[in-house]
Amino acid sequence: MDNSTMITEFLLLGSPDGWDLNFLYFTVFPMTYLGTLLGNLLIITVTTADQNLHTPMYFFLRNLSILDMCFISITVPNACVNSLTGNRAISVAGCATQIFLVIFCASVELLFLTIMAWDRYVAICQPLQYPLVMNPQFCVRMTLASLLSGLLYAGVHTGNTFRLSFCQSKVVHQFFCDVPSLLRLSCSDTTSNKVLILVSAVVICGGCFLFIVVSYFRIFSAVLKFPTKAPGKAFSTCTPHILVVSVFLSSITGVYLRSSATSDTLDDMVLSAFYTMVPPFLNPLLYSLRNKQVKDAVRRLMGRQLFSGK
């Protein structure tokens, strides 16, 4: 009989040995989750209701906000409920679903951030060609291509993970199911899995990161030639994007490429919280609080609501 049938469920780890993280599950996690939902919902509402924000940049920002709401909803509510009820069991099917959705959202997030870097490059460095290059058809096609690529990428990694046999332990040293934690529980040869993760990290993550870096290098090179006030405006637009990309890629790389021999459970949980929670939480804060167009749109929307209420 296949050893994989020996385990019908996994147990998610609430807190590493010697640490009590219940305060995180009862305070930080719910507050971050609520702030993420409200912030991203605000961006979705404003970019949809305000005609002035019906541009490619805000089209992708709206899609990113929808994705971020889904991304954080995959892990945080379940972790909070598990901590509250004390029931940390998750079925194999539930674990596979969670892994698939996390990888899907993470990969699409990276692709959206890459497309947004390209959008800023064209807008700043090729403003006359911007309406032709970033036309509505192109935006829709890039969105669909990102979603389909995410589905394929998540399906490959999830299928490659659950072809393994799990017969050593059923305790997942993480607050949600992820590939590195399950590889440590497998009694099968995981060499091909690790090679696939490494290759995909180099090709996809490395490729997207290189594309983003080159885009911003060209942007910064171009804006330095502008009048005095133009560089400051361009830098204020691009800096939040760079910050989100840096946090996202550094934390997800730390989780997936660390050696299991030197891996620490608490460090893994912190890094996982960073790539699943911090970017979705930061996106609405950075793009709304630092963006004059969004702030003006919020004021106009609130003004219309107050006026209609009289």
Side-chain angles (χ1 to χ4, degrees), residues 60 69 71 80 82 120 130 141 159 206 228 248 253 280 285 301 303:
F60 288 114
M69 292 175 66
F71 194 5
C80 295
N82 288 348
R120 290 300 84 206
Y130 185 75
R141 288 170 185 167
T228 306
F248 181 70
T253 301
L285 291 176
L301 182 63

Side-chain angles (χ1 to χ4, degrees), residues 252-284:
I252 199 170
T253 301
V255 171
Y256 279 81
L257 296 185
R258 292 179 68 189
S259 170
S260 59
T262 60
S263 179
D264 179 77
T265 301
L266 181 62
D267 290 345
D268 286 344
M269 294 180 72
V270 171
L271 289 173
S272 296
F274 262 85
Y275 86 81
T276 57
M277 295 171 59
V278 174
F281 179 76
L282 284 181
N283 282 334

Side-chain angles (χ1 to χ4, degrees), residues 295-308:
K295 289 189 287 187
D296 290 343
V298 171
R299 294 190 188 100
R300 287 193 295 269
L301 182 63
M302 293 179 64
R304 286 201 298 265
Q305 293 296 325
L306 291 174
F307 182 77
S308 62

Side-chain angles (χ1 to χ4, degrees), residues 44-185:
I44 295 169
T45 303
V46 170
T47 55
T48 302
D50 196 293
Q51 294 291 329
N52 296 320
L53 300 184
H54 287 187
T55 63
M57 174 182 174
Y58 295 105
F59 171 79
F60 288 114
L61 179 57
R62 180 166 60 250
N63 291 339
L64 183 66
S65 294
I66 295 172
L67 180 71
D68 283 338
M69 292 175 66
C70 298
F71 194 5
I72 197 170
S73 296
I74 297 168
T75 58
V76 173
N78 186 61
C80 295
V81 170
N82 288 348
S83 181
L84 182 64
T85 61
N87 180 18
R88 303 193 178 280
I90 182 171
S91 66
V92 172
C95 187
T97 301
Q98 195 171 52
I99 285 180
F100 178 87
L101 292 176
V102 167
I103 296 176
F104 168 75
C105 288
S107 57
V108 176
E109 173 117 358
L110 179 58
L111 292 174
F112 277 175
L113 292 173
T114 305
I115 296 170
M116 291 172 72
W118 167 254
D119 172 81
R120 290 300 84 206
Y121 164 73
V122 177
I124 294 173
C125 299
Q126 301 176 5
L128 296 179
Q129 299 182 26
Y130 185 75
L132 297 176
V133 176
M134 302 300 295
N135 59 73
Q137 293 79 11
F138 176 81
C139 295
V140 172
R141 288 170 185 167
M142 292 303 295
T143 300
L144 292 177
S146 299
L147 295 175
L148 292 175
S149 299
L151 288 173
L152 178 62
Y153 185 75
V156 169
H157 279 282
T158 305
N160 200 39
T161 300
F162 281 89
R163 69 174 179 78
L164 301 173
S165 299
F166 303 100
C167 54
Q168 296 192 24
S169 172
K170 64 178 182 179
V171 179
V172 178
H173 291 265
Q174 189 60 269
F175 66 91
F176 65 93
C177 282
D178 68 348
V179 173
S181 298
L182 289 189
L183 293 185
R184 300 186 190 107
L185 304 182

Side-chain angles (χ1 to χ4, degrees), residues 167-207:
C167 54
Q168 296 192 24
S169 172
K170 64 178 182 179
V171 179
V172 178
H173 291 265
Q174 189 60 269
F175 66 91
F176 65 93
C177 282
D178 68 348
V179 173
S181 298
L182 289 189
L183 293 185
R184 300 186 190 107
L185 304 182
S186 176
C187 51
S188 304
D189 183 9
T190 60
T191 302
S192 63
N193 299 76
K194 294 176 181 178
V195 170
L196 179 62
I197 290 175
L198 179 61
V199 171
S200 60
V202 172
V203 174
I204 298 177
C205 296

